[in-house]
Amino acid sequence: MQSAPGTAAGRTGGKWWPLAAVTLGNFLLLVDVTIVNTALPRIADGLHASFTSLQWVMDIYALALAALLMVAGSAADLFGRRRLYVAGLTLFALASLACGLAPDAGLLVAARAVQGVGAAAMFATNTPLLMAAYQGRDRGVAFGVWGGTSGAAAAIGPVLGGVLTEYADWRAIFLVNLPLTAVAVWITLRWVRESHGDLARPRTNSVKTNSVRTNPVKRNPAALIDWPGAASFTACAGALTYGLMRGGEQGWTERGTLVSLVGAALALLVFLVVERRVRRPLLDLGLLRRPTFAVLMAAALLLQAAAFPYLTFVGLWVQNVLGLSPVQAGLAVTPMALTSLLIGALGGRHLQRMAPQLPVGVGLLLVGAGALLQYALLGDDSGWAALVPGLAVSGLGIGTAMPVLVSAALGAAPPQRAGMASGAVNTFRQLGYALGIALLGTVFADALHGLGPGASREAVGAGYVTGLTHIMLISGVVALAAGLLVLAVVRRGGDDADRAGQAGGGDRGAGADGAAGAASARAGAAAGV
């Protein structure tokens, strides 16, 4: 008879199978952030997609992931982490199939959005599942492997996308997910045991009826999720991203642009009101009154916005102007990922011992210096090699800042808010990537404005270089400013003066497992988006 997952017999012969299931899903969802980069020119040709459509192909995945990450964590605590992880894998696979079969850009964008929903369910559950599966030294090994594969996803994504695009077809970058997700689902159902979070535990204020204690969570578990907060946050992020893209294409005073931006502001206002009133908010706004925590959230958003989005437009330049193949285009941007992995692997343990403002602040300064170095070296006659020094410096900054960022955010929050802090910092990271694509894309598109089909190759190349230098300058200045802000404000241990006041919230909004958040921070050598 087959042993059930989680039993002693079931665990004896498959100690590391839960790690394999979680790591495979985590790798897939992170690879899909960047695997599309090198395929964009072929997608544009195959689907006759506009530049704005290509932006949405990149952006909608990260946007859905960011918007739903916190609510997915709450749902996993209530309904079961394994259950939600399998549901996320299944939805991710079905959406990948839809992406691979998409007949036009509109359907591809819609399928990418659904992919992001599945990825949010996977991302919110992978570290709690590892926490439930392993203890002691095994837990350290598991999170080390988890963190290493997260970083590898950043390095492999563009190259893997290039290989599949060049030697198969751009649709293969999505269809390859199908057998891999099937394997992950099978391993999860066979070897991973179910677990729930604090939200699913009976409360001391349960009601007695006929001498039987009833648990309100069992009667209506979905009522414990902050649905109004999730809806307003999603509306704000979506409207803001749409407004930024539309503004770059149609103009900032155009009616649709203004409606989108005003709608984003109103949705943000609703979110703030809701979070102050609900018993279990997605984000306890009291945390943002802590200067250290607030600045770290800004740093997470700005680091992601400055370090990664411009690589999308670099990929277009090296293929459309320099004539590199998809594989060569993927290899051209790997210096950033490789140096970030190197610094994370060699210095990650030492970085965690420093005062957090040093690695996070200095890392941001290095990211800014790398972007400005590319700005200085890139010219109309440049080849891809002009990017290498700046990418390497930025990679050093990413490898320095990223492993400490999540653990610093956890240190700036009360222990009972550890899960919420972990979810918030990851949400801000993904939101930074989505907004960076939208905002930098408008700058890049503006530089190409007026280049019609009859433009000379020299004019097209000059337009691409102008757009790239503009967005590299913006990225560099943003990262430098964020680094200086972190160095000026962030302190070890957060803002202890107001810690006592925040600690009185009890279980309110605790969300995902706090220990899981801390463990994921220690595994933060992951260098990718």
Side-chain angles (χ1 to χ4, degrees):
M1 178 182 295
Q2 179 173 290
S3 301
T7 64
R11 292 293 305 278
T12 301
K15 176 181 178 181
W16 298 112
W17 283 113
L19 174 62
V22 171
T23 299
L24 181 55
N26 188 58
F27 180 81
L28 287 174
L29 76 90
L30 290 176
V31 160
D32 265 59
V33 178
T34 57
I35 196 173
V36 182
N37 283 12
T38 46
L40 288 177
R42 301 287 179 90
I43 293 174
D45 292 340
L47 300 181
H48 307 290
S50 66
F51 178 76
T52 302
S53 296
L54 295 181
Q55 280 184 277
W56 277 114
V57 169
M58 291 295 302
D59 222 6
I60 196 67
Y61 179 83
L63 185 60
L65 179 55
L68 298 175
L69 188 55
M70 289 188 289
V71 72
S74 297
D77 283 350
L78 283 169
F79 300 110
R81 291 154 177 170
R82 186 183 77 152
R83 180 180 299 173
L84 194 69
Y85 183 63
V86 170
L89 282 167
T90 303
L91 186 62
F92 185 84
L94 293 174
S96 297
L97 176 62
C99 288
L101 301 178
D104 55 55
L107 288 177
L108 176 58
V109 171
R112 283 282 283 173
V114 179
Q115 250 195 333
V117 176
M122 295 155 63
F123 200 17
T125 52
N126 54 31
T127 52
L129 284 173
L130 288 182
M131 288 294 296
Y134 300 103
Q135 302 292 331
R137 181 176 298 178
D138 288 348
R139 181 178 290 176
V141 172
F143 275 102
V145 173
W146 177 86
T149 56
S150 298
I156 292 173
V159 179
L160 179 60
V163 169
L164 292 173
T165 300
E166 185 169 347
Y167 295 109
D169 186 77
W170 66 263
R171 298 178 185 275
I173 66 175
F174 301 112
L175 298 178
V176 72
N177 292 332
L178 300 179
L180 297 177
T181 49
V183 170
V185 167
W186 181 81
I187 297 174
T188 303
L189 293 175
R190 174 65 181 85
W191 294 106
V192 179
R193 64 188 178 189
E194 186 59 277
S195 66
H196 295 78
D198 290 337
L199 291 182
R201 296 173 186 169
R203 301 292 170 191
T204 56
N205 61 347
S206 297
V207 209
K208 279 189 177 181
T209 305
N210 297 327
S211 301
V212 178
R213 185 176 296 274
T214 58
N215 182 6
V217 174
K218 290 184 178 180
R219 293 204 309 267
N220 187 16
L224 294 180
I225 297 178
D226 179 14
W227 296 114
S232 54
F233 182 80
T234 302
C236 175
L240 179 57
T241 303
Y242 179 78
L244 292 174
M245 288 190 185
R246 189 177 180 93
E249 184 180 10
Q250 302 292 336
W252 298 104
T253 59
E254 189 264 340
R255 181 179 178 181
T257 301
L258 294 177
V259 168
S260 298
L261 296 178
V262 171
L266 292 176
L268 177 60
L269 180 61
V270 171
F271 176 74
L272 296 176
V273 171
V274 167
E275 298 308 279
R276 289 179 62 87
R277 293 178 178 272
V278 297
R279 182 169 179 261
R280 299 177 184 274
L282 290 179
L283 179 62
D284 185 348
L285 298 181
L287 292 174
L288 296 179
R289 290 196 292 270
R290 296 165 171 258
T292 290
F293 186 83
V295 168
L296 287 171
M297 293 304 102
L301 188 145
L302 296 176
L303 172 61
Q304 210 79 5
F308 299 107
Y310 74 86
L311 297 180
T312 299
F313 311 107
V314 167
L316 294 175
W317 173 63
V318 296
Q319 290 188 70
N320 292 343
V321 175
L322 300 186
L324 269 61
S325 69
V327 173
Q328 292 170 327
L331 292 172
V333 297
T334 54
M336 174 186 285
L338 293 177
T339 54
S340 64
L341 283 173
L342 181 64
I343 194 69
L346 297 180
R349 181 176 300 179
H350 302 290
L351 293 172
Q352 293 289 346
R353 298 193 184 115
M354 297 181 181
Q357 70 268 26
L358 293 178
V360 177
V362 172
L364 277 162
L365 294 179
L366 287 171
V367 169
L372 293 179
L373 183 58
Q374 292 175 79
Y375 165 78
L377 295 178
L378 193 61
D380 291 348
D381 299 326
S382 298
W384 65 269
L387 301 171
V388 172
L391 288 173
V393 173
S394 290
L396 292 176
I398 294 167
T400 301
M402 200 70 80
V404 183
L405 185 59
V406 179
S407 58
L410 295 179
Q416 69 271 22
R417 293 289 186 270
M420 180 181 286
S422 176
V425 72
N426 284 318
T427 294
F428 275 80
R429 284 175 56 197
Q430 299 302 326
L431 187 60
Y433 183 80
L435 295 179
I437 289 282
L439 186 58
L440 296 180
T442 64
V443 176
F444 187 77
D446 185 65
L448 301 181
H449 184 70
L451 292 176
S456 67
R457 184 177 181 85
E458 290 76 15
V460 172
Y464 270 80
V465 169
T466 299
L468 285 176
T469 53
H470 286 172
I471 63 178
M472 287 169 179
L473 177 60
I474 294 171
S475 297
V477 171
V478 165
L480 290 178
L484 293 175
L485 181 64
V486 167
L487 290 173
V489 176
V490 173
R491 293 292 178 265
R492 180 187 295 273
D495 309 293
D496 294 325
D498 62 353
R499 182 178 296 272
Q502 294 296 331
D507 62 1
R508 184 175 180 261
D513 207 47
S520 67
R522 289 192 294 272
V529 292

